[in-house]
Amino acid sequence: MDAILQDIRYALRSLQKTPGFTLAVVLTLSLGIGANTGIFSVINALLLRDLPEVTRPNELLLIGRTMDNNGFDTFSYPDYLDLRNQSRTLQGVAAFAVVAAHVTGSSATERARAALVSENYFTVLGTSPAHGRFFAPDENQPSNPVQVVVLGAGLWQRAFGGRADVVGQTIRIDNHPFAVIGIAPVGFQGINRGDQLDLFLPIAVQPIATPEWGSFINERESVWLQLFGRLGPGVSLARAQTELRGSAAALFAASAADRRGWGITAATTVGFDPFTRANVVSFLRLLQGAVILVLAIACANVANLLLVRSASRRKELAIRASLGAGRGRILRQLLTESALLAWLGGLGGLLIAYWGSDFLKALPALRVGGDIDFSPDGRVLLFTLAVALAAGVLIGLLPAIHAARPDLAGELRQGAEAGRLRGTRLRGALVLTQVAVWLVLLVAAGLFVRTLRNAYAVDPGLATDVLVAQLDLSLQGYDEPRGRGFYDQLLRDLEGLPGLRSARLALNRPFGGGFVTRIDAQGALIDAEHRGYRTDRNSVSPGYFETMGITIVRGRGFTAQDAATSTPVTVINEAVAEQLWPGQEAVGKRLVRTWGGPALEVVGV
């Protein structure tokens, strides 16, 4: 230990004598190590950290519905009950759905994210309340729903000041009274990583929580619930998968509706659904590979600097060897210096990673949760130390080996110039390595820039200078006549604002997801083998296409005459027109929705 401390003290004195060299090396390594630490902090936050306030998350699995072995979709409430009651390999199966709500706090009403959950939701997750209790089985019966609520810790702090006496009080959610029975623990996000859940309501209150959708909790064809379960003791994922496939065969075959091709699968990708996780993993692998190359370049650069520095010290090392220092002793001293430089670079890398966490959080490909903390923790610290140790070996080993073999007679007789010449080939090899790796990175960067340019050059077919505001009047107690009057007045007021060309209404914003329906040409044969064509749909007000800059190529858009009492009409795009009526004029034709409803006349394309 005394010898190691002596090496460290000597290394510090040696580095203090060359502050410019030391600063250049530390900054170079800080950038390389910091880039790796930053990406690993993202990997740690998204993939490695346990879900907060969840017991043994490794036992949890997500359950999804498939169609022809594809997808990872939701279930109906009757389906959930059957799966929960039939399961033998799972300790429990829970269900939930996230909806919007308005809650009145101590002073104001705010929009909140509410989760409609099964009574065993918290039990399956192994979560304990911070205050009060969670749901009882008799509080979640669709035939007799009980209006109780568990508050999320964030909303509890914001709207109610974190007062413990709120438990037992009655608050108003969407203008309905709900009794507060408990408070979820701080940091609890449920099964989806980064999800900011403000309220937890029993599934049985669905008709109250989503009045605009009506009551569909007992409809087997209404699929809206996400499912997850916990593996029983000694049960493997493969065994659970086998049971779920058997349940799917019995469950979907017994349905009155056409559910052929439907199945059930499970995944241990807790925190994200399998598709989101796969996209995140692919993106992070790409970033991690890039920053590893950056670190390799930094190490090669620093190793070259150390070679140059060791050449100028060969006479000093020769004198030390002539005084009795063995090759191992000199090698250890030089490696101590490189390790010290690498650890200083590691500290700088931690600072860079901490400062860069906000930048990483803003990357579109990593916007996968509501509030995910990317800042470094203990695991990231250990990773940084490991990377710094590896970097210390990489930057110091070759220069140390090269410098630890001095030609005593030659060095003492000819001076340092001869020693400098001996390292030329090695330095040249390191320079070539840097150039080769940089060439790979530059080519990859050029391809990415070209891809981005192509993406920005794509014409989306609509205006992009659009402002979007979300309103949900049903959650504020408006009925349909009052809501129509409100929207008419709102549009008139907005039309008068300076700088605003026009304002219109739409149920869904472009590229923002929405409702899916199946359609077909009127008169087409629709049977079990052919259920029409799957497409997205939207409901919009007259003038929407002009406001959004969407071209009507044939026919017309909607007008004020297209009212609820007139003939139902629709506008379709060219892809749907070609699908339903190839080579024909679509305007004037009629299409039907395969799940029912009146036929729609096509008035525009």
Side-chain angles (χ1 to χ4, degrees), residues 12 18 61 69 74 91 113 124 128 157 192 194 211 250 271 285 297 336 379 387 392-393 413 435 457 547:
L12 287 172
T18 53
L61 74 165
N69 295 320
T74 51
Q91 293 187 58
R113 282 173 59 83
V124 174
S128 301
Q157 294 287 346
N192 292 328
R285 281 177 178 169
I297 293 169
T336 299
R379 185 184 286 115
V387 172
V393 174
R413 183 174 57 251
V435 172
T547 299

Side-chain angles (χ1 to χ4, degrees), residues 234-256:
V235 176
S236 65
L237 175 63
R239 183 179 168 191
Q241 287 268 33
T242 301
E243 181 188 74
L244 289 172
R245 282 194 291 268
S247 299
L251 188 64
F252 298 143
S255 174

Side-chain angles (χ1 to χ4, degrees), residues 10 101 130 141 150 153 166 192 207 234 281 318 356 368 408 439 461 465 482 503 516 542:
Y10 184 83
Q141 301 296 327
V150 173
V166 73
N192 292 328
V281 169
V368 293
L408 297 182
L439 183 61
D465 55 339
R482 289 180 61 221
V516 175

Side-chain angles (χ1 to χ4, degrees), residues 543-564:
Y544 169 83
F545 297 105
E546 293 78 5
T547 299
M548 292 301 302
I550 299 173
T551 304
I552 301 294
V553 294
R554 296 191 297 279
R556 63 174 178 85
F558 298 123
T559 67
Q561 285 68 44
D562 297 319

Side-chain angles (χ1 to χ4, degrees), residues 220-221 252-259:
R220 193 171 288 274
E221 311 313 317
F252 298 143
S255 174
D258 175 35
R259 289 179 157 193

Side-chain angles (χ1 to χ4, degrees), residues 484-513:
R484 289 182 180 275
F486 176 89
Y487 280 128
D488 290 341
Q489 183 63 47
L490 176 65
L491 291 182
R492 286 194 295 270
D493 293 343
L494 290 175
E495 289 285 358
L497 291 180
L500 189 68
R501 289 199 301 271
S502 62
R504 293 296 183 265
L505 303 173
L507 192 60
N508 301 301
R509 66 186 185 276
F511 308 117

Side-chain angles (χ1 to χ4, degrees), residues 215-390:
S215 177
F216 56 79
I217 186 170
N218 291 317
E219 295 178 3
R220 193 171 288 274
E221 311 313 317
S222 298
V223 288
W224 56 292
L225 289 172
Q226 299 181 55
L227 268 58
F228 64 92
R230 182 178 289 275
L231 292 170
V235 176
S236 65
L237 175 63
R239 183 179 168 191
Q241 287 268 33
T242 301
E243 181 188 74
L244 289 172
R245 282 194 291 268
S247 299
L251 188 64
F252 298 143
S255 174
D258 175 35
R259 289 179 157 193
R260 278 184 291 181
W262 287 24
I264 302 177
T265 188
T268 55
T269 58
V270 173
F272 302 111
D273 67 79
F275 298 103
T276 301
R277 184 183 179 92
N279 289 335
V280 169
V281 169
S282 297
F283 183 68
L284 290 177
R285 281 177 178 169
L286 185 67
L287 288 182
Q288 192 70 68
V291 295
I292 287 175
L293 291 180
V294 170
L295 180 60
I297 293 169
C299 289
N301 193 19
V302 171
N304 226 337
L305 292 175
L306 289 175
L307 270 174
V308 173
R309 185 168 183 265
S310 66
S312 65
R313 299 175 61 190
R314 292 189 67 83
K315 188 170 184 178
E316 168 207 338
L317 297 176
I319 293 174
R320 295 182 66 188
S322 66
L323 294 175
R327 182 182 176 190
R329 184 72 178 79
I330 295 175
L331 188 64
R332 190 181 70 190
Q333 175 61 55
L334 295 176
L335 285 177
T336 299
E337 292 182 14
S338 62
L340 189 59
L341 288 170
W343 286 334
L344 292 174
L347 290 176
L350 277 175
L351 293 176
I352 291 175
Y354 182 79
W355 291 331
S357 61
D358 290 339
F359 167 76
L360 293 170
K361 187 182 295 187
L363 291 177
L366 299 179
R367 293 177 189 168
V368 293
D371 185 19
I372 298 179
D373 183 14
F374 289 162
S375 59
D377 59 8
R379 185 184 286 115
V380 174
L381 177 61
L382 291 176
F383 172 83
T384 305
L385 291 175
V387 172
L389 180 61

Side-chain angles (χ1 to χ4, degrees), residues 44-75:
N44 177 54
L46 296 181
L47 305 177
L48 301 181
R49 280 180 184 163
D50 288 339
L51 290 171
E53 300 298 331
V54 173
T55 302
R56 298 188 303 278
N58 59 301
E59 296 178 358
L60 296 174
L61 74 165
L62 304 178
I63 303 173
R65 177 174 55 85
T66 63
M67 178 65 178
D68 296 328
N69 295 320
N70 293 314
F72 201 88
D73 219 328
T74 51
F75 295 83

